[in-house]
Amino acid sequence: MAIRILPPEVASRIAAGEVVERPASVVKELVENALDAGACHITVEAESGGRRLIRVSDDGTGIASQDVELAFHRYATSKLSTIDDLSRITTLGFRGEALASIASVSRLTLITRAAGEPVGVRLYLEGGQIVEREAVGAPQGTMITVENLFYNVPARLKFLKKESTERGHIAALISRYAMAYPHVRFVLSHGSQELLRTTGSGDLLAVLGEVYGLEMASQMIAVEGRADSHTRPDLHPVRVRGYTGLPSLNRSNRGQITLFVNGRWVQDSSLTVAVVQAYHTMLMVGRYPVTVLMIEVPPEELDVNVHPTKAEVRFRQPDAVFSAVQRAVRQALVAEAPPPAVRGEVVWGSPEWAVRRERLAQVTRDRMQQLDIDLGVESPGQHGHQPTPAHEAGAESAAGGPQRTRSLPLLRVVGQVGATYVVAEGPNGLFLIDQHAAHERILYEQFMAERAGQSVASQELLEAVVIELPPDQMALAEESLDILHGVGFGIELFGRNTVRLRAVPALVAGGDPVGTLLAALGEIECGEMPTGATAEEALIARVCKQVAIKAGQLLSHREMEALIRQLERCQTPQTCPHGRPTLLHLSAEQLARQFGRLGAI
Ligand code: ADP
Ligand code: MG
């Protein structure tokens, strides 16, 4: 094929793909424009996850009537005029691409009236082409309505996710901007449902309450830090403000670490690490905090022109910013939340250890009672009562049938090491069992056996709990109702951003119902699935992990025996549901070799 220059409408749709990936990217650009225009009230409406309609209205400066057509040209902006301006950008926009891009892949209506103009303008475009222009009465400000997004880019349309997913992205985005701009009043609605409303009072904590719910917001503490320019005059000042969660408020992924740099939401993996590091030894491995931080640096220290979506930035002194963030969060945590004693670093055998031992023992006793773990001696015939998994039906008849071949040898409990591992002796050497992983495996198989018997038993809570969820998690909960019901959660939607939890899977009934549900939602969100597992299996695995005995819990001899007996009954006792080993084996031969006994005379 000969080389040709693409017709402008094709070129513009291709270029639009860089800025507009999904409905939430349209919302982001329009909201940023409203903020740049100095708006105090921003209203966002969406329908069908933003596919059918997105409307952003603001009370900002408006666009002068002679400029309205120009605003839809690529590289048309009022925010920058020379290349030098780029090094001191204080607005969110500057590339002059957004309106042109959005208009080229949708049907767009603009209504705007600039301050001081008697009437407003209405402009209607299809695929970037102006179809209509008329004078209209309008309040000061701008309202942009984007309909049928990607109607002329079928390839993009195909890649859009379910309505609830796209809606979740929009909700998460507005939640973030509401937190970064507490002085601005945001209202977000989807169809007839209002998802978020902030007051614009300027109080970040109040916004956190709106976004996360009061329960979560009450577990967040203020962060306020300034890099000290006295000790390091060579570094530019960095200001870090915001809120961060107490260690007890944690998540299974980094999705709730929200960072703004000079008012711009950024995704910066290095700064995310700085936040996580600030929690060193306060959070378990694999758990992440909930954090919202506003980082401010002099504009000339920052390169915002890295990517068309402007979600990445470069710092001239990345280390200065990294350490300012880490220090500010750490300071806040240490001041308000001394590391919980049980999880602190304790050296085995130290005097402190003896004290902790008693406390741990108590914690463990309570926990075991809560979990109602089968700690007693094995009741006769108990195994036979468990529904037999379908694929195993042939190998084992019901009660009293021949035992299936053992996948673990008979083990004799010797003791516990570090309140984490059970030491046991088998016919051929020594076994070390990870108590947490083993219990996860046991719960998982019990769960799966119940499921194979068609119904997962649910246990009604004494009192239903009403839980407020952040809007994006709410979308997730809504989308996953079937799966959640399937595994035994009695959960229903209960008004704006709240769900009502009536029942939990019976197997985990003794635990913390809210924590269990949040863990399940966390799994759906991040989907760290073992290969080949269905969403449902992954979720069950996550719930089991949440309620399993933790490392650091002292177990009595009887409790350890009960654990081992139950592990022996598992079909796949060697690994936890996530694939990590539950036990290590040191054979008699290995021991003999290590001690130089093999071949000794
Ligand atoms: P950029 O934001 O990078 O300048 P856009 O394509 O997003 O580019 O917008 C083009 C121009 O249109 C802006 O520079 C601004 O002058 C004007 N504009 C867009 N949205 C608004 C709004 N909500 N209020 C006032 N002016 C706006
Ligand atoms: Mg813009």
Side-chain angles (χ1 to χ4, degrees):
M1 228 158 69
I3 298 178
R4 277 172 297 158
I5 290 185
L6 288 172
E9 66 280 8
V10 178
S12 68
R13 273 184 237 170
I14 291 175
E18 287 196 331
V19 181
V20 188
E21 191 197 336
R22 60 185 344 151
S25 4
V26 172
V27 177
K28 171 176 184 286
E29 293 297 336
L30 296 182
V31 165
E32 288 193 347
N33 280 347
L35 289 167
D36 282 344
C40 304
H41 297 176
I42 300 179
T43 305
V44 180
E45 296 156 80
E47 283 174 25
S48 305
R51 255 179 206 227
R52 226 211 56 65
L53 177 137
I54 293 167
R55 174 177 294 141
V56 177
S57 326
D58 68 57
D59 60 351
T61 55
I63 306 175
S65 63
Q66 79 270 10
D67 284 348
V68 286
E69 281 92 354
L70 200 56
F72 290 92
H73 279 264
R74 189 166 298 277
Y75 312 125
T77 177
S78 57
K79 302 170 192 175
L80 174 130
S81 53
T82 71
I83 190 68
D84 291 341
D85 295 343
L86 197 53
S87 59
R88 40 175 185 269
I89 281 291
T90 55
T91 50
L92 295 168
F94 55 85
R95 296 174 61 105
E97 280 179 318
L99 288 187
S101 299
I102 297 166
S104 73
V105 293
S106 68
R107 301 192 168 94
L108 188 150
T109 309
L110 163 80
I111 296 178
T112 188
R113 183 168 71 81
E117 294 194 9
V119 287
V121 186
R122 177 177 166 278
L123 198 68
Y124 175 67
L125 302 90
E126 266 181 20
Q129 302 302 312
I130 296 172
V131 177
E132 256 172 57
R133 176 188 166 127
E134 60 176 354
V136 290
Q140 188 199 314
T142 303
M143 176 165 94
I144 293 184
T145 310
V146 176
E147 289 168 286
N148 309 119
L149 183 65
F150 298 136
Y151 79 97
N152 54 358
V153 197
R156 226 356 117 75
L157 207 50
K158 269 205 305 251
F159 279 97
L160 289 189
K161 297 281 188 311
K162 273 186 284 185
E163 172 178 323
S164 52
T165 310
E166 299 299 342
R167 187 187 73 172
H169 282 290
I170 294 173
L173 184 104
I174 298 300
S175 305
R176 293 194 180 101
Y177 277 90
M179 294 188 284
Y181 296 86
H183 288 283
V184 176
R185 182 159 96 201
F186 283 90
V187 179
L188 167 66
S189 57
H190 185 267
S192 58
Q193 218 185 347
E194 188 177 289
L195 300 181
L196 183 73
R197 174 184 290 269
T198 64
T199 60
S201 69
D203 179 3
L204 175 54
L205 194 57
V207 181
L208 293 180
E210 290 297 334
V211 169
Y212 290 127
L214 293 179
E215 165 86 28
M216 254 174 90
S218 65
Q219 295 183 62
M220 298 184 75
I221 55 177
V223 176
E224 173 74 74
R226 239 175 229 284
D228 194 349
S229 48
H230 300 298
T231 49
R232 291 293 303 274
D234 52 321
L235 298 183
H236 64 71
V238 181
R239 183 161 184 228
V240 182
R241 284 172 310 133
Y243 279 84
T244 203
L246 293 172
S248 52
L249 183 67
N250 56 69
R251 293 286 178 266
S252 59
N253 61 51
R254 299 170 181 79
Q256 296 295 350
I257 300 176
T258 303
L259 303 172
F260 284 83
V261 176
N262 291 4
R264 187 186 301 281
W265 174 49
V266 299
Q267 284 161 300
D268 187 302
S269 47
S270 152
L271 290 184
T272 305
V273 169
V275 173
V276 175
Q277 277 190 5
Y279 282 80
H280 181 61
T281 73
M282 295 187 193
L283 278 181
M284 273 191 291
V285 176
R287 304 300 295 172
Y288 300 94
V290 176
T291 304
V292 182
L293 293 182
M294 320 296 155
I295 301 157
E296 275 158 52
V297 301
E300 62 276 11
E301 297 295 327
L302 187 69
D303 182 0
V304 289
N305 189 27
V306 179
H307 190 267
T309 64
K310 299 163 285 182
E312 274 171 54
V313 290
R314 272 191 210 118
F315 297 103
R316 207 162 61 82
Q317 295 174 339
D319 296 346
V321 186
F322 184 97
S323 67
V325 167
Q326 197 205 42
R327 217 171 312 125
V329 175
R330 184 80 185 173
Q331 264 168 12
L333 284 170
V334 171
E336 298 233 12
V342 177
R343 290 216 193 112
E345 287 166 312
V346 181
V347 184
W348 298 342
S350 67
E352 227 183 322
W353 175 243
V355 182
R356 294 272 165 97
R357 225 182 129 82
E358 227 347 89
R359 280 183 62 183
L360 277 168
Q362 187 52 47
V363 170
T364 309
R365 277 193 292 275
D366 295 349
R367 179 80 182 154
M368 293 304 239
Q369 264 170 7
Q370 265 178 21
L371 287 178
D372 196 20
I373 268 197
D374 166 25
L375 293 179
V377 190
E378 184 173 348
S379 52
Q382 189 192 26
H383 188 206
H385 289 310
Q386 289 188 6
T388 312
H391 57 276
E392 211 203 327
E396 188 185 15
S397 62
Q403 280 284 322
R404 80 178 124 88
T405 45
R406 306 191 70 88
S407 35
L408 262 196
L410 272 174
L411 298 175
R412 180 179 72 84
V413 171
V414 177
Q416 194 185 18
V417 177
T420 301
Y421 308 104
V422 177
V423 187
E425 182 190 12
N428 179 27
L430 176 79
F431 289 79
L432 276 174
I433 293 124
D434 181 317
Q435 64 197 40
H436 171 65
H439 196 211
E440 257 185 283
R441 162 56 62 186
I442 292 163
L443 289 171
Y444 183 73
E445 292 208 2
Q446 288 176 350
F447 223 122
M448 296 314 266
E450 271 193 24
R451 203 174 66 125
Q454 293 314 317
S455 76
V456 175
S458 250
Q459 163 117 25
E460 295 282 325
L461 300 175
L462 281 179
E463 244 179 284
V465 203
V466 173
I467 307 167
E468 278 184 84
L469 295 173
D472 53 331
Q473 287 224 349
M474 183 65 192
L476 217 92
E478 248 184 278
E479 189 179 320
S480 324
L481 273 185
D482 285 348
I483 299 186
L484 290 166
H485 288 157
V487 305
F489 284 99
I491 174 178
E492 58 216 32
L493 307 179
F494 190 73
R496 183 165 79 93
N497 296 338
T498 38
V499 292
R500 198 160 148 263
L501 185 63
R502 280 185 299 96
V504 292
L507 270 171
V508 303
D512 151 34
V514 177
T516 312
L517 176 70
L518 291 180
L521 285 175
E523 176 60 45
I524 297 175
E525 188 179 10
C526 72
E528 164 218 332
M529 288 194 213
T531 38
T534 64
E536 204 171 31
E537 287 162 356
L539 196 137
I540 292 174
R542 183 67 191 87
V543 166
C544 294
K545 185 181 174 63
Q546 169 78 14
V547 295
I549 311 169
K550 300 287 179 296
Q553 289 181 225
L554 276 189
L555 301 180
S556 73
H557 203 81
R558 271 183 59 214
E559 289 165 341
M560 287 187 275
E561 292 209 308
L563 192 76
I564 302 294
R565 295 290 91 83
Q566 294 187 4
L567 187 65
E568 283 170 355
R569 288 192 215 126
C570 289
Q571 290 183 25
T572 320
Q574 290 86 355
T575 59
C576 82
H578 297 94
R580 285 183 291 278
T582 50
L583 75 172
L584 296 179
H585 177 208
L586 228 75
S587 71
E589 196 197 30
Q590 275 172 300
L591 284 171
R593 190 176 297 126
Q594 293 293 325
F595 283 110
R597 290 173 159 276
L598 257 196
I601 307 155

